[in-house]
Amino acid sequence: MADGSFCPDCKRSTEVVFDHSAGDMVCSECGLVLEAHSIDETSEWRTFANESAENDPVRVGGPSNPLLTDGGLSTVISKPNGVQGDFLSSSLGRWQTRGSNPDRSLILAFRTIANMADRLGLVATIKDRANEIYKKVEDLKSIRGRNQDAILAACLYIACRQEDRPRTVKEICSVANGAAKKEIGRAKEYIVKQLEVEMGQSMEMGTIHAGDFLRRFCSHLGMSNQAVKAAQEAVQKSEELDIRRSPISIAAAVIYMITQLSEEKKPLRDISLATGVAESTIRNSYKDLYPYASRIIPASFAKEEDLKNLCSP
C-alpha cells in the first residue's frame, strides 16, 4: 500500500509504504520509519477454518447492539464434538439453560424485521431505525396481546417513512408473515400514538411524494428510460396542481398516461398489479390529471397532436 506523505529527512512529500507485518509506515526513498506500530482498525475477515467445515474458530464476532442488554455479545455454550445424548441434561447444558438470554424476544423480533427488510431490498439504516422503534414500544410494555407480526411490519413502515424511503402498506403487507393490511394500519396508528405520548410531541413521519414510488413502479413494468424520465417530470409538475389524490394514486395515473402516449402501452390491469392501486382509483386519478396533460407531459416526449389522441377518461 503506497500513499503520499511528508518525509522530514527528504524534506518533501514522498511515497510511503505500509509494512503490514510490523505496522510501520516507511518512506520509500530514504527508508525512514514515519509511524511505528500502527493499528489496523479494519475488519478481520480471516476465519482460520481450514481444518473442518464444522469447526469455525473465528476470532471476531458480530458487532455490538446497543439495543440489547449485553450489547448482543452474550456467550453461548455449544455442544462439544463427540458428545452423545441430550446436551441440555449435562452440567454445561444446565448452565446454558439457567443463563438464558433475557433479550431473546428482542433478538427474534430484530431477526424478523431483518428478514422482512431483506425481502424488500431495504438498506441497513432502515432496519436499524425499525429496531429502535420496536425497542421503544417494547419498553412501554403496551404491545402484549397484539398481533406481533403487524407490530413489526408497522415499525418497518414507519422506519421507511422516516428514512425518506417510503413503501406502500401493500408492499409491507406482502412480507408481513400473514398480517393483514388493516392490522398493519391499526398497529402503525397505535405505535405513533404511544410514542407521541411518551415523547410529549408529534412524531416526525416524513412527507410522501409520488416520485418516491415512481421509479420502482416503472421498473416493475419494464418501462424504457425515456418513458421513466417523462413520468418523473410529469409527477414533479403534478405537485404544482391542486389534485387531492394520494401520491401513490397520482404515480399510477401518470404511469398510465405516459404508457398510453408511448409505443409500449400497458394494460390498466398490469399497472394496478405493479402499483397496488385499484383500477377504479387509477381511472379516477387519471380523470383528474387529464385536463392538465399538456402542462405536465414533457414536450420532448409527446407532441401536441399526440396529446389530442390521448384517451379521454
Side-chain angles (χ1 to χ4, degrees), residues 152-166:
L152 296 174
C155 290
L156 190 60
Y157 174 82
I158 296 171
C160 290
R161 290 278 301 270
Q162 292 184 339
E163 292 294 323
D164 294 327
R165 294 292 184 273

Side-chain angles (χ1 to χ4, degrees), residues 21-310:
S21 60
D24 297 338
M25 295 181 66
V26 184
C27 175
S28 60
E29 297 192 10
C30 68
L32 177 68
V33 177
L34 302 178
E35 185 177 346
H37 306 297
S38 300
I39 299 176
D40 185 3
E41 297 180 351
T42 58
S43 300
E44 181 185 36
W45 298 111
R46 188 176 176 189
T47 63
F48 302 92
N50 297 326
E51 299 85 4
S52 172
E54 297 180 357
N55 184 25
D56 185 13
V58 293
R59 302 198 306 189
V60 293
S64 61
N65 189 339
L67 300 178
L68 301 178
T69 302
D70 55 7
L73 302 177
S74 59
T75 300
V76 177
I77 304 173
S78 62
K79 183 176 181 179
N81 293 332
V83 172
Q84 303 294 330
D86 187 7
F87 171 61
L88 294 179
S89 62
S90 66
S91 58
L92 286 177
R94 286 194 296 272
W95 277 109
Q96 174 68 49
T97 305
R98 187 177 303 175
S100 59
N101 194 337
D103 292 325
R104 181 174 298 176
S105 61
L106 270 181
I107 294 174
L108 292 176
F110 293 165
R111 190 176 300 162
T112 302
I113 289 175
N115 289 336
M116 290 192 294
D118 289 340
R119 291 171 64 185
L120 290 173
L122 302 177
V123 296
T125 53
I126 296 179
K127 299 179 192 178
D128 295 340
R129 179 60 65 89
N131 290 344
E132 291 175 9
I133 294 171
Y134 179 79
K135 180 65 166 61
K136 290 178 181 178
V137 177
E138 203 270 346
D139 287 343
L140 297 177
K141 307 296 182 184
S142 59
I143 58 174
R144 292 181 179 176
R146 294 183 175 270
N147 187 325
Q148 179 76 350
D149 290 324
I151 292 291
L152 296 174
C155 290
L156 190 60
Y157 174 82
I158 296 171
C160 290
R161 290 278 301 270
Q162 292 184 339
E163 292 294 323
D164 294 327
R165 294 292 184 273
R167 291 294 187 272
T168 65
V169 178
K170 284 190 176 181
E171 286 178 302
I172 299 293
C173 184
S174 66
V175 297
N177 301 319
K181 181 180 175 181
K182 288 185 178 180
E183 290 178 315
I184 298 174
R186 286 195 293 264
K188 187 263 292 185
E189 297 296 332
Y190 177 78
I191 291 172
V192 171
K193 182 179 179 181
Q194 291 293 313
L195 294 182
E196 285 181 343
V197 171
E198 178 69 16
M199 296 185 299
Q201 60 184 13
S202 60
M203 187 174 180
E204 180 61 37
M205 289 285 288
T207 305
I208 295 180
H209 301 281
D212 296 332
F213 308 96
L214 190 71
R215 180 170 287 277
R216 191 165 67 255
F217 292 162
C218 292
S219 176
H220 293 335
L221 290 166
M223 296 171 60
S224 64
N225 290 334
Q226 183 183 9
V228 172
K229 290 180 180 179
Q232 287 178 319
E233 187 173 340
V235 160
Q236 290 177 353
K237 292 181 178 178
S238 69
E239 293 182 355
E240 303 172 1
L241 307 175
D242 185 20
I243 298 178
R244 300 182 180 181
R245 295 282 178 181
S246 71
I248 303 172
S249 301
I250 291 177
V254 167
I255 291 174
Y256 179 68
M257 185 178 290
I258 292 294
T259 57
Q260 297 309 305
L261 292 169
S262 66
E263 296 180 356
E264 48 183 27
K265 292 180 172 55
K266 303 292 182 182
L268 189 60
R269 182 175 180 274
D270 291 352
I271 297 175
S272 176
L273 291 174
T275 61
V277 181
E279 294 183 28
S280 59
T281 304
I282 298 177
R283 288 195 192 94
N284 292 331
S285 301
Y286 175 77
K287 183 178 180 180
D288 294 340
L289 286 173
Y290 180 78
Y292 308 100
S294 59
R295 290 176 55 182
I296 65 176
I297 302 297
S300 59
F301 183 77
K303 298 179 180 179
E304 189 173 347
E305 303 86 59
D306 297 328
L307 294 176
K308 291 179 180 179
N309 298 327
L310 191 64

